[in-house]
Amino acid sequence: MSTRGILDTSTVIRLRRLQDARALPAEPLMTTVTLAELSVGPLVADDEQERAARQAHLQQAEADFEPLPFDAAAARAFGQVAASLRQAGRKTAARAYDAMIAAIALANDLPVYTFNPADFVGIEGLEVVAVREPPAP
């Protein structure tokens, strides 16, 4: 297990339900891309209760993490990610958020911890660590 690793959005969303912290790196990190994805949640929620829950989750993530940015190094790594996805027959646009998270991970030489490892298939050089689904509440 890595001492540092990026939690993708699926993992940040499920953090409260995760029962075994050993499934995560000792120093879990989040990206600005995940922060952006979480920021959409409250704005598109169908009802007030769901909106409030998503807003609380967003605020908790903001308090818990100092997100890694999509910076110039990540932008350069994104080219590699997009090319890898294209060579694997996958459309970059359909996986844009995941591709940007992968680019940040590659730029920082970090693995990605995810509940959805299939989202990162075909990205050359990216270490992906599958996190098991917690039991339904």
Side-chain angles (χ1 to χ4, degrees):
M1 174 184 353
S2 275
T3 55
R4 298 177 78 219
I6 292 175
L7 309 183
D8 79 334
T9 307
S10 71
T11 307
V12 172
I13 288 171
R14 292 173 176 89
L15 270 179
R16 284 185 252 148
R17 292 179 24 213
L18 190 64
Q19 295 183 349
D20 187 359
R22 293 175 298 176
L24 300 178
E27 184 182 347
L29 305 167
M30 182 179 78
T31 70
T32 53
V33 176
T34 290
L35 183 59
E37 284 188 275
L38 293 175
S39 295
V40 174
L43 301 173
V44 298
D46 291 332
D47 63 64
E48 284 301 316
Q49 185 175 2
E50 182 64 21
R51 184 173 295 112
R54 290 180 182 188
Q55 184 65 37
H57 193 88
L58 167 62
Q59 290 172 324
Q60 187 65 55
E62 288 176 318
D64 290 345
F65 296 96
E66 181 63 39
L68 291 173
F70 187 84
D71 57 11
R76 287 188 297 276
F78 185 81
Q80 174 189 338
V81 171
S84 292
L85 288 172
R86 194 174 275 185
Q87 289 170 349
R90 301 182 74 202
K91 298 195 184 307
T92 307
R95 304 262 44 106
Y97 294 129
D98 295 328
M100 292 174 77
I101 291 169
I104 295 169
L106 288 170
N108 289 279
D109 195 29
L110 294 168
V112 172
Y113 286 72
T114 180
F115 281 93
N116 302 317
D119 290 349
F120 298 93
V121 167
I123 300 175
E124 187 176 323
L126 180 66
E127 180 184 351
V128 178
V129 179
V131 181
R132 290 186 326 162
E133 186 71 36

